[in-house]
């Protein structure tokens, strides 16, 4: 017989947290325009363009954006 309690294996395990998107823990988060993931504004790689500040998860994303911007800029 199947026990219904087996269906609660995910919630009954308090040791491992369930899969879910990273949530802000006190700090602010911003969306990486390159890869789309949310990064902490305190830990992000920042790029200031005029009045706005962009946040990237890594230097690779930042450089990727700068390359794209170079093509767009005229
Ligand atoms: Zn990224």
């Amino acid at each position: 017989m199947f026990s219904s309690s087996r269906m609660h294996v995910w919630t009954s395990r308090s040791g491992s947290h369930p899969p879910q998107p990273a949530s802000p823990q006190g700090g602010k988060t911003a969306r990486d325009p390159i890869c789309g993931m949310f990064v902490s504004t305190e830990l992000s790689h920042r790029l200031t363009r005029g009045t706005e500040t962009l946040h990237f998860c890594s230097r690779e994303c930042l450089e990727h954006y700068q390359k794209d911007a170079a093509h767009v800029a005229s």
Side-chain angles (χ1 to χ4, degrees):
M1 289 302 178
F2 293 101
S3 173
S4 60
S5 62
R6 286 173 179 251
M7 300 301 291
H8 299 104
V9 63
W10 283 104
T11 53
S12 62
R13 287 190 179 183
S14 58
S16 60
H17 39 82
Q20 62 182 7
S23 58
Q25 296 179 352
K28 292 182 179 180
T29 57
R31 185 169 175 273
D32 185 327
I34 298 299
C35 66
M37 71 177 289
F38 285 88
V39 296
S40 170
T41 55
E42 295 181 359
L43 303 175
S44 66
H45 294 252
R46 268 156 280 186
L47 175 68
T48 304
R49 279 174 57 87
T51 57
E52 65 177 345
T53 302
L54 297 169
H55 298 269
F56 302 88
C57 68
S58 64
R59 177 177 290 184
E60 292 181 0
C61 282
L62 195 158
E63 291 179 347
H64 190 99
Y65 181 89
Q66 288 179 316
K67 288 180 181 179
D68 285 354
H71 288 297
V72 175
S74 59

